[in-house]
């Protein structure tokens, strides 16, 4: 045994704090030199910041901070924040995605104005997402949600000269505002029923719920708020629009990190605050999630089949994946090994963070080259950029659940989870949807490798940042095949603390 | 013993090296590197010490390694590989055919070579994995892993309708995998808490040991039937059994020759191998109870495949459809549940792998020289390419089951075995129909040979058709030697096969 010098409690928030510090450094730099076009420095600061955050989280996870083998969960600020395995797991995920996205953004926004703002907004959004994974009370949950959302609206509309981007930002903002209102109203109803905001206190207060009707309405509205954030049916309409219009690195960021943040909050709220048997007797939200999961994956996948634009297809498939992750809540029935079920969803989000971000970054690369948006525009791309196309094939096959990447394992775990929970319908829906998804994912692969080039595309430059990010994402996606064990274990250990 | 891992790792490493190699060297480099797993597998053959069946706990497994990979709820997912008398010959078949197919790719593959050869080696690695894995999860990774290189190999280097054939292959076989997947998982959940790993031996022994309980609204018997049905349907696509065969002609005709060699030679064996391991080992009693029906599928494949082949005018299509026919014998042999039939069926997998590979290669050599495969377009090829034609003819005789060739040994065993079968009600009648298939095979092969190889030379080309270069004929000669070797001395493979399949009969009481 080595002796530890105990860190002060607030140090547990350091990974999240790194995002805030980086954002402030960027603001400071921008204040001193407002017209700076030193993209390399700006991107460098951001990459450094998110990497430090990632390293810190990794260290904490390995050292056992906030986990049972040390002193258990660390709570701060009157228990309204909690640092435990779950929050560190998702902070690690956010930091990884942000690192990739920032790295890729260097080439993507190099010629745009307001780059410092771009990077600092992303850092702020990231700190919001990290805060979402740490939130331990309904009030901080709401604040974190807003902190993550507001910069995202601006980021989606970042390409000011592009009508699609601005329109997407506006739609995202309007729908986001409505869903925030719904979420806030839901919280207030839950508060009305229980009289507490802090999750443990809510759980305690709801051991004998009196106003079941009010509580039920509140829970439904809270579910609505999460459904928006995670792009689940029926609040998914904004997603294809926003993802398509947004700068592609931002699409990747939103569809992986932001979605994961929504889920972690949902996991915590529904297992810690609303997981009591008394609540479930009054409001059976598991059934709601079962319906939501099946409908979300089916709607997402069937819509993806019909798309003509690659980015839009990815956007719909990302809705499908939200449906898969919903299994983590939908399979939390009495029969289930809750930690396993929840851990499966977490592990899927982790793998998804790499493969999905990678896929969107590849789209960013094609946009950089001026390749069109339709499937046909990708024809023969592999003849000019075999490496990037190989990486994209890894992402797509992994998303489809073939054993080329970690996506195979995480889907497999979800399948086991749904059977573990005794909900065979979820398992069947997952298998059918996976088979279907292979069809539309392979359309992109087919276009890149098998179709002949149109002949009018000539790629001259190979942007370093984008390539590095894509390569990194692909390597991690593949390495998650042999390395899935530690990820799944960490996820399950983190989940065990909650359920 | 880490031989299996070594062979797998060198094949994978070779694939990556070849991906990065310049196109000019890719073919030669890939061939040279593929010799390493070939030598490795031959080493395993010569040092093979195993008895019994890898899935049944009454013997030793050769070159076995087990360690825990992942923990999945109550289940341990293991890295579990090993060989018995059924998997070893198939492993050697894979490495031999891959090396020879790589040589035969030198002429026809003239674009994106490093990608082509890299994918071929990647596929070899996946196939080695399929035949050596003894954990369901590991096995499934390799099983699905075969699809990806195959998809590209057909889709990029294939014929005119390659895009259609590639996507059809991918979606069709992937859906089949998922159907099979559901079937196996029904068993796994039927076993409930008693099962703590997803190892194939553990599942097989638990199911055979009668530990299967009910699950949801199935009782144990219904669950067995359900699982058998789903697994059979899934594997039947891969074999392929009529009427699940429609992807095969498309894939074969569009695939470039070396890929067809692997497709017919090894990929189809994945289906029969899996049937042997899963359906006929784990659920032998269900198979025996439904023997008539399954044998019917087998005989239907034999006759219908042969009839389809008879109707073709394209040499490659003829060979492709004849595979359906040959795999029908394997099905018949497996379901007969007699030692001879089981052994014959397994031997037929090896034999058909060699002969069909040889036939496809020969058609490829002729195509390289003439740029046509149509029976009506050419005649008298024997004048111009005597060696190729000689070997082609010998291979065709092997296909018809001429004595002293491996096909004869395999088919005789299957027929004797199925004739004696007690689980198939009217075994002699089924066998008789299956034997009639040989007549049809002889008919269409002789017809095609007569028209294309003999008679007055005629082929309308503006270039000279000459004898094929040495590197095209050499793989054919090697394969023919192996076919004759196995025909003259079947014991070199049959003894170990027999050791591995004898325990299977215990579950039926037949």
């Amino acid at each position: 045994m080595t002796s530890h010098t105990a860190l002060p409690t607030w140090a547990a928030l350091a990974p999240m704090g790194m995002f805030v510090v980086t954002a402030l450094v960027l603001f400071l730099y921008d204040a001193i030199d407002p017209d700076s076009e030193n993209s390399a420095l700006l991107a460098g600061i951001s990459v450094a910041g998110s990497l430090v955050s990632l390293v810190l989280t990794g260290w904490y996870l390995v050292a056992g901070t906030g986990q049972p083998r040390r002193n258990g969960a660390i709570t701060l600020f009157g228990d309204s924040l909690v640092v435990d395995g779950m929050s560190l797991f998702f902070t690690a995920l956010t930091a990884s995605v942000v690192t990739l996205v920032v790295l890729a953004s260097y080439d993507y926004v190099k010629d745009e104005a307001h780059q410092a703002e771009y990077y600092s907004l992303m850092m702020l959004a990231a700190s919001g997402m990290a805060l979402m994974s740490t939130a331990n009370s309904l009030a901080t949950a709401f604040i974190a949600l807003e902190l993550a959302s507001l910069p995202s609206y601006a980021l989606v509309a970042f390409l000011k000269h592009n009508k699609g981007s601005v329109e997407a930002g506006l739609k995202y903002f309007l729908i986001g505002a409505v869903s925030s209102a719904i979420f806030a109203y839901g919280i207030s109803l839950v508060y009305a029923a229980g009289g507490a905001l802090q999750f443990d206190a809510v759980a305690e207060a709801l051991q004998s719920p009196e106003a079941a009707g009010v509580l039920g309405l509140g829970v439904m509205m809270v579910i609505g708020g999460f459904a928006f954030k995670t792009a689940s049916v029926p609040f998914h309409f904004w997603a294809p629009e926003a993802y398509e219009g947004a700068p592609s690195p931002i699409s990747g960021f939103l569809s992986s990190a932001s979605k994961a943040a929504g889920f972690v909050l949902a996991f915590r709220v529904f297992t810690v605050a609303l997981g009591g048997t008394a609540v479930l007797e009054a409001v059976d939200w598991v059934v709601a999630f079962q319906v939501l999961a099946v409908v979300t994956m089916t709607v997402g996948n069937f819509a993806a089949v019909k798309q003509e634009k690659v980015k839009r297809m990815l956007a719909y498939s990302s809705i499908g994946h939200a449906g898969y992750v919903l299994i983590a809540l939908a399979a939390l029935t009495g029969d289930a090994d809750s930690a396993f079920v929840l851990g499966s969803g977490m592990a899927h989000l982790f793998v998804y963070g790499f493969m999905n971000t990678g896929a969107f970054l590849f789209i960013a690369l094609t946009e950089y080259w001026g390749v069109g948006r339709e499937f046909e525009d990708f024809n023969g791309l592999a003849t000019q950029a075999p490496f990037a196309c190989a990486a994209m094939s890894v992402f797509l096959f992994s998303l489809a659940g073939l054993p080329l990447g970690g996506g195979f394992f995480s889907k497999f775990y979800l399948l086991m989870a749904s059977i573990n929970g005794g909900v065979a319908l979820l398992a069947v829906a997952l298998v059918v949807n996976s088979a279907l998804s292979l069809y539309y994912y392979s359309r992109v692969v087919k276009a890149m490798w098998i179709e002949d080039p149109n002949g009018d595309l000539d790629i001259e430059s190979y942007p370093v940042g984008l390539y590095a990010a894509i390569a990194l994402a692909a390597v991690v996606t593949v390495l998650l095949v042999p390395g899935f064990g530690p990820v799944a274990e960490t996820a399950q250990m983190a989940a065990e603390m909650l359920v | 013993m880490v031989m299996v891992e070594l062979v797998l790792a060198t094949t994978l490493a070779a694939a990556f090296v070849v991906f990065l190699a310049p196109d000019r060297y890719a073919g030669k480099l890939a061939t040279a590197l593929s010799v390493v797993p070939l030598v490795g597998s031959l080493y395993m053959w010569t040092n093979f010490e195993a008895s019994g069946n890898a899935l049944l706990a009454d013997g030793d497994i050769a070159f076995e390694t087990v360690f825990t990979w992942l923990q999945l709820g109550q289940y341990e997912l293991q890295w579990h590989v090993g060989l018995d008398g059924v998997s070893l010959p198939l492993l050697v078949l894979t490495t031999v055919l891959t090396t020879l197919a790589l040589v035969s790719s030198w002429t026809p593959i003239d674009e994106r070579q490093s990608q082509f050869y890299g994918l071929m080696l990647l596929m070899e690695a996946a196939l080695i994995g399929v035949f050596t894995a003894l954990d369901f999860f590991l096995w499934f990774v390799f099983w699905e892993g075969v699809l990806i290189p195959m998809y590209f190999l057909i889709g990029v280097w294939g014929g005119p309708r390659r895009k259609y054939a590639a996507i059809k292959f991918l979606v069709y076989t992937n859906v089949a995998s998922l159907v099979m997947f559901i079937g196996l998982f029904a068993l796994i959940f039927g076993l409930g808490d008693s099962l703590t790993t997803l190892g194939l031996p553990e599942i097989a022994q638990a199911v055979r040991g009668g530990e299967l309980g009910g699950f949801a609204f199935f009782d144990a018997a219904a669950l067995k039937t359900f699982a058998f049905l789903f697994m059979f349907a899934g594997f039947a696509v891969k074999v392929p059994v009529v009427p699940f065969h429609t992807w095969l002609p498309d894939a074969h005709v569009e695939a470039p020759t070396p890929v067809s060699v692997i497709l017919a030679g090894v990929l189809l064996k994945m289906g029969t191998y899996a049937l042997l391991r899963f359906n006929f080992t784990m659920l032998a009693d269900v198979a025996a109870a439904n023997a008539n029906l399954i044998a019917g599928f087998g005989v239907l494949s034999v006759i219908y495949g042969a009839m389809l082949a008879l109707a073709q005018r394209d040499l490659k299509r003829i060979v492709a459809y004849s595979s359906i026919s040959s795999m029908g014998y394997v099905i018949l042999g497996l379901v007969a549940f007699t030692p001879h039939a089981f052994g014959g069926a397994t031997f037929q997998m090896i034999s058909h792998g060699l002969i069909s590979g040889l036939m496809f290669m020969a058609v490829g050599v002729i195509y390289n020289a003439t740029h046509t495969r149509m029976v009506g377009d050419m005649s008298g090829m024997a004048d111009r390419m005597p060696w190729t034609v000689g070997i082609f003819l010998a291979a065709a005789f092997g296909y018809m089951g001429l004595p002293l060739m491996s096909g004869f040994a395999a088919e005789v065993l299957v027929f004797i075995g199925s004739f004696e079968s007690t689980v198939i009600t009217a075994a002699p009648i089924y066998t008789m129909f299956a034997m009639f298939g040989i007549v049809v095979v002889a008919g269409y092969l002789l017809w095609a040979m007569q028209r294309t190889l003999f008679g007055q030379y005629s082929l309308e080309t503006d270039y000279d058709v000459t004898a094929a270069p040495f590197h095209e004929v050499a793989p054919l000669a090697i394969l023919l030697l192996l076919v004759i070797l196995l025909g003259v001395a079947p014991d070199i493979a049959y003894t170990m096969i027999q050791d591995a399949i004898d325990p299977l009969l215990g579950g039926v009481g037949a």
Side-chain angles (χ1 to χ4, degrees):
Chain A
M1 276 301 283
T2 51
S3 64
H4 299 278
T5 312
L7 289 171
T9 316
W10 57 263
L13 290 178
M16 187 172 67
M18 266 321 289
F19 290 125
V20 183
V21 170
T22 316
L24 291 178
V25 170
L26 288 164
F27 275 132
L28 191 67
Y29 178 79
D30 194 46
I32 296 167
D33 183 5
D35 301 321
S36 169
E37 289 184 352
N38 193 345
S39 326
L41 180 68
L42 291 169
I45 295 174
S46 318
V47 171
S50 49
L51 265 183
V52 171
S53 171
L54 180 59
V55 170
L56 281 175
T57 340
W59 172 33
Y60 286 179
L61 272 172
V62 173
T65 307
Q67 291 166 51
R69 66 192 145 105
R70 290 287 287 275
N71 299 322
I74 300 169
T75 52
L76 303 103
F77 302 111
D79 289 354
S80 50
L81 291 184
V82 58
V83 176
D84 57 6
M86 170 93 97
S87 78
L88 289 171
F89 185 86
F90 277 93
T91 310
L93 167 57
T94 309
S96 319
V97 172
V98 171
T99 311
L100 291 176
V101 170
V102 171
L103 198 56
S105 297
Y106 165 66
D107 297 300
Y108 196 86
V109 298
K110 185 158 68 176
D111 303 320
E112 306 282 338
H114 309 299
Q115 287 175 36
E117 286 82 351
Y118 174 88
Y119 289 113
S120 49
L121 282 172
M122 194 162 350
M123 288 300 142
L124 285 177
S127 50
M129 291 166 194
L131 190 64
M132 278 163 87
S133 63
T134 322
N136 196 32
S137 111
L138 289 167
T140 35
F142 183 73
I143 293 168
L145 196 76
E146 288 304 293
L147 178 56
S149 298
L150 287 168
S152 306
Y153 303 145
L155 283 169
V156 168
F158 181 71
L159 303 173
K160 285 199 295 182
H161 47 81
N162 180 328
K163 227 176 110 189
S165 173
V166 176
E167 196 181 314
L170 187 65
K171 273 187 189 161
Y172 187 26
F173 174 61
L174 287 176
I175 301 176
V178 172
S179 73
S180 286
I182 293 176
F183 185 62
Y185 196 47
I187 289 174
S188 66
L189 290 178
V190 172
Y191 180 74
L197 284 174
Q198 202 268 330
F199 291 164
D200 296 324
V202 173
E204 201 153 316
L206 291 180
Q207 268 173 1
S208 50
E210 284 161 16
V214 172
L215 179 65
L217 200 58
V219 169
M220 284 304 137
M221 293 183 117
V222 169
I223 291 180
F226 287 131
F228 163 76
K229 200 67 203 162
T230 56
S232 305
V233 175
F235 295 100
H236 65 289
F237 291 103
W238 62 274
E241 307 287 334
Y243 294 171
E244 198 195 352
S248 289
I250 297 301
S251 314
F253 181 54
L254 290 183
S255 64
S256 333
S258 167
K259 182 172 287 185
F263 272 114
V264 60
L265 195 52
F267 290 166
R268 216 185 268 285
V269 168
F270 283 97
T271 52
V272 179
L274 302 171
T277 38
V279 178
L280 276 168
E281 269 167 28
V283 190
D284 197 351
W285 49 261
V286 173
V287 174
F289 277 113
Q290 284 168 1
V291 175
L292 221 55
V294 172
V295 174
T296 302
M297 61 177 101
T298 310
V299 166
N301 278 300
F302 274 86
V305 170
K306 284 172 30 195
Q307 300 309 314
E308 285 309 316
K309 293 177 182 162
V310 179
K311 201 171 168 184
R312 228 178 145 73
M313 178 278 281
L314 279 180
Y316 274 106
S317 89
S318 137
I319 296 174
H321 277 273
Y324 302 150
V325 180
L326 281 172
I327 288 178
L329 288 166
L332 282 178
T333 54
D335 314 338
D337 171 1
S338 306
F340 173 58
V341 171
L342 211 54
S344 307
M346 290 168 66
H348 186 69
L349 281 170
F350 190 83
V351 179
Y352 185 72
F354 289 95
M355 59 192 180
N356 182 62
T357 311
F360 272 108
L361 293 185
F362 180 84
I363 303 291
L365 186 64
T366 61
E367 284 176 4
Y368 178 88
W369 284 329
V371 179
R373 294 170 154 246
E374 317 250 317
F375 283 94
E376 291 100 70
D377 298 320
F378 280 52
N379 285 358
L381 212 54
T383 53
Q384 302 212 34
F387 182 77
C389 289
M392 182 64 167
S393 309
V394 168
F395 299 140
L396 292 170
F397 280 135
S398 181
L399 281 166
L402 291 185
L404 206 59
F408 170 69
F409 285 91
S410 54
K411 274 196 186 173
F412 190 83
Y413 270 53
L414 283 172
L415 184 78
M416 295 292 277
S418 46
I419 296 172
N420 190 296
V423 199
L425 179 65
L426 288 174
V428 171
L430 177 67
V431 168
V432 170
N433 276 299
S434 283
L436 181 68
S437 72
L438 183 61
Y439 170 74
Y440 59 74
Y441 286 129
S442 63
R443 273 182 80 189
V444 185
V445 178
K446 179 173 144 224
M448 292 189 304
W449 293 93
I450 293 176
E451 300 286 348
D452 296 319
N454 301 332
D456 48 3
L457 179 72
D458 199 20
I459 295 171
E460 281 159 2
S461 64
Y462 296 88
V464 179
L466 267 167
Y467 256 86
I470 291 172
L472 213 61
V475 168
V476 176
T477 305
V478 173
L479 285 183
L480 278 172
V481 175
F484 192 73
V487 173
E489 268 169 38
T490 314
Q492 277 180 38
M493 276 194 310
E496 261 166 34
M497 290 183 66
L498 262 62
V499 290
Chain B
M1 293 296 261
V2 291
M3 273 311 288
V4 173
E5 285 84 353
L6 266 179
V7 167
L8 258 176
T10 47
T11 317
L12 269 179
F16 283 108
V17 170
V18 171
F19 269 125
L20 300 174
D23 275 357
R24 269 178 302 153
Y25 308 119
K28 309 264 157 51
L29 182 69
T31 313
L33 291 175
S34 76
V35 173
V36 180
L38 173 62
V39 170
S41 64
L42 292 177
Y43 170 84
M44 285 193 268
W45 182 293
T46 48
N47 290 278
F48 180 69
E49 278 173 27
S51 58
N53 188 296
L55 265 54
L56 304 173
D58 53 4
D60 307 317
I61 308 173
F63 305 102
E64 187 183 18
T65 37
V66 195
F67 60 85
T68 300
W69 184 14
L70 300 173
Q71 186 73 37
L72 172 61
Q74 75 186 66
Y75 303 107
E76 244 177 31
L77 307 185
Q78 292 169 331
W79 174 275
H80 188 180
V81 293
L83 291 167
D84 67 358
V86 174
S87 42
L88 180 66
L90 286 165
L91 170 68
V92 176
L93 176 74
T94 306
T95 52
V96 169
L97 266 187
T98 305
T99 302
L100 296 178
L102 287 173
V103 176
S104 74
S105 315
W106 292 356
T107 309
I109 303 302
D110 51 9
E111 50 165 2
R112 295 159 84 172
Q113 277 112 327
S114 57
Q115 288 169 13
F116 177 87
Y117 290 103
L119 286 169
M120 286 287 277
L121 288 168
L122 202 60
M123 187 156 68
E124 183 185 10
L127 287 167
I128 292 172
V130 167
F131 293 129
T132 53
L134 290 176
D135 178 90
F136 171 70
F137 197 75
L138 184 66
W139 177 86
F140 194 70
V141 169
F142 290 121
W143 176 269
E144 289 288 273
V146 171
L147 299 184
I148 298 163
M150 199 60 183
Y151 169 69
F152 285 118
L153 286 168
I154 297 175
V156 177
W157 290 272
R161 287 173 70 240
R162 60 183 196 277
K163 294 165 197 166
Y164 170 76
I167 197 86
K168 185 169 176 181
F169 167 80
L170 184 70
V171 173
Y172 210 108
T173 51
N174 184 53
V175 169
S177 301
L178 294 174
V179 169
M180 170 274 289
F181 194 89
I182 294 171
L184 189 85
F185 265 78
L187 279 189
I188 290 175
F189 289 108
L191 288 170
D193 291 338
S194 63
L195 194 68
T196 53
T197 74
L198 293 187
L200 298 179
E202 283 84 352
I203 300 174
Q205 284 155 32
V207 173
R208 281 174 82 111
E211 289 174 33
L212 201 67
F215 176 65
F217 41 84
F218 291 101
D219 61 10
L223 192 65
K224 273 184 166 181
T225 313
F226 172 87
F228 188 91
L229 190 69
F230 271 62
M231 294 200 293
F232 188 82
F235 295 135
V237 168
K238 208 77 157 197
V239 173
V241 175
V242 175
F244 303 107
H245 65 287
T246 62
W247 64 272
L248 180 94
D250 285 307
H252 259 313
V253 173
E254 300 308 324
T257 303
V259 177
S260 294
V261 171
I262 301 295
L263 188 61
V266 192
L267 231 68
L268 305 188
K269 279 46 178 200
M270 285 167 64
T272 47
Y273 173 77
L275 277 175
L276 175 66
R277 284 281 193 232
F278 289 73
N279 290 57
F280 292 94
T281 302
M282 295 177 187
L283 296 167
D285 46 347
V286 183
N290 297 290
N292 283 325
L293 187 64
I294 299 165
F297 272 115
V299 173
L300 178 69
S301 297
V302 169
I303 302 291
Y304 190 72
M307 291 295 180
L308 284 173
L310 192 61
Q312 304 305 317
R313 292 290 173 271
D314 179 333
L315 278 178
K316 201 170 172 187
R317 268 180 181 272
I318 293 177
V319 182
Y321 277 108
S322 70
S323 292
I324 301 176
S325 203
S326 298
M327 298 316 278
Y329 294 129
V330 180
I331 303 290
L332 180 65
L334 288 178
V335 81
F337 280 103
T338 57
H340 286 130
F342 256 135
T346 312
F347 198 77
Q348 168 78 343
M349 294 187 210
I350 316 298
S351 161
H352 177 260
L354 295 172
I355 301 180
S356 69
L358 175 51
M359 296 278 275
F360 273 115
M361 270 190 211
V363 173
V365 172
I366 291 176
Y367 180 77
N368 291 343
T370 61
H371 298 154
T372 180
R373 295 189 305 243
M374 302 312 286
V375 172
D377 289 356
M378 51 183 153
S379 70
M381 295 311 299
D383 279 355
R384 298 298 170 101
M385 16 189 17
W387 280 103
T388 311
V389 165
I391 296 173
F392 192 16
L393 199 64
F397 282 128
Y399 229 130
M400 296 173 220
L402 208 70
L404 298 185
M405 300 238 216
S406 62
F408 174 74
E411 281 161 18
V412 162
L413 284 166
V414 169
F415 293 144
I416 293 177
S418 65
F419 199 83
E420 295 167 341
S421 172
T422 51
V423 293
I424 307 174
T425 325
I429 296 181
Y430 281 99
T431 313
M432 190 188 76
F433 272 106
M435 286 169 90
F436 180 70
I438 300 252
V439 180
V440 187
V441 172
Y444 64 73
L445 283 179
L446 289 175
W447 171 84
M449 299 281 145
Q450 175 64 30
R451 299 273 304 270
T452 52
L453 307 183
F454 300 112
Q456 191 73 37
Y457 173 77
S458 90
L459 178 69
E460 284 172 24
T461 56
D462 41 14
Y463 47 82
D464 221 18
V465 173
T466 53
F470 176 75
H471 76 260
E472 289 187 26
V473 184
L476 302 182
I478 295 173
L479 276 178
L480 183 61
L481 282 176
L482 291 176
V483 169
I484 293 172
L485 182 68
L486 279 183
V488 176
D491 268 3
I492 48 177
Y494 191 67
T495 317
M496 62 173 80
I497 293 175
Q498 201 66 52
D499 283 347
I501 49 145
D502 273 347
L504 292 181
L505 296 164
V508 195

